[in-house]
Amino acid sequence: MAAKLKKGDKVVVLTGKDKGKTGEITKVLPKENRLVVQGVNVVKKHQKQTQAQEAGIRSFEAPLQISNVAYMDPTDGKPTRVGFKTLDDGRKVRFAKRSGEVIGDV
């Protein structure tokens, strides 16, 4: 099955401590049903010193459940669902169900 959300898509967080925040998908983990969104779900981790890395507290974006984010509609910036349709020329594309606008090829 084709992925409804892909790397580079703009999304809105629907639930959790970062509810309402928007960002771009930087990484998709399909086997775990998770994705990483830039600037969202930032956590701090205490890092023990290694040969390669210095000790200290580092911040990074933790993965979110795919069900907790929605695609941001390109027309009004509100959350929307993503659908698939076949165009007249035979290409299968994703589209925003809220506005009907084509997002891009699958």
Side-chain angles (χ1 to χ4, degrees):
M1 189 184 123
K4 292 192 176 190
L5 296 175
K6 295 183 171 189
K7 183 177 178 178
D9 286 351
K10 300 264 188 232
V11 292
V12 180
V13 180
L14 302 175
T15 58
K17 66 176 184 177
D18 292 323
K19 181 178 179 176
K21 284 189 179 178
T22 61
E24 190 174 306
I25 297 175
T26 56
K27 189 176 188 182
V28 180
L29 308 164
K31 287 184 180 175
E32 300 167 32
N33 277 332
R34 291 177 174 267
L35 46 79
V36 178
V37 181
Q38 187 175 1
V40 176
N41 199 26
V42 177
V43 294
K44 291 183 182 286
K45 183 176 181 180
H46 293 259
Q47 184 69 42
K48 191 175 180 181
Q49 187 168 355
T50 62
Q51 283 186 330
Q53 202 166 20
E54 205 172 310
I57 301 170
R58 64 183 192 102
S59 297
F60 64 98
E61 288 120 3
L64 291 163
Q65 282 283 339
I66 289 178
S67 63
N68 292 344
V69 299
Y71 187 82
M72 189 165 68
D73 197 312
T75 55
D76 59 6
K78 292 186 177 176
T80 182
R81 292 177 297 149
V82 176
F84 296 96
K85 66 181 175 184
T86 308
L87 299 177
D88 295 332
D89 61 1
R91 290 187 303 142
K92 186 178 178 185
V93 294
R94 297 182 300 154
F95 73 99
K97 289 195 173 185
R98 182 181 182 90
S99 63
E101 191 171 323
V102 173
I103 297 166
D105 286 353
V106 173

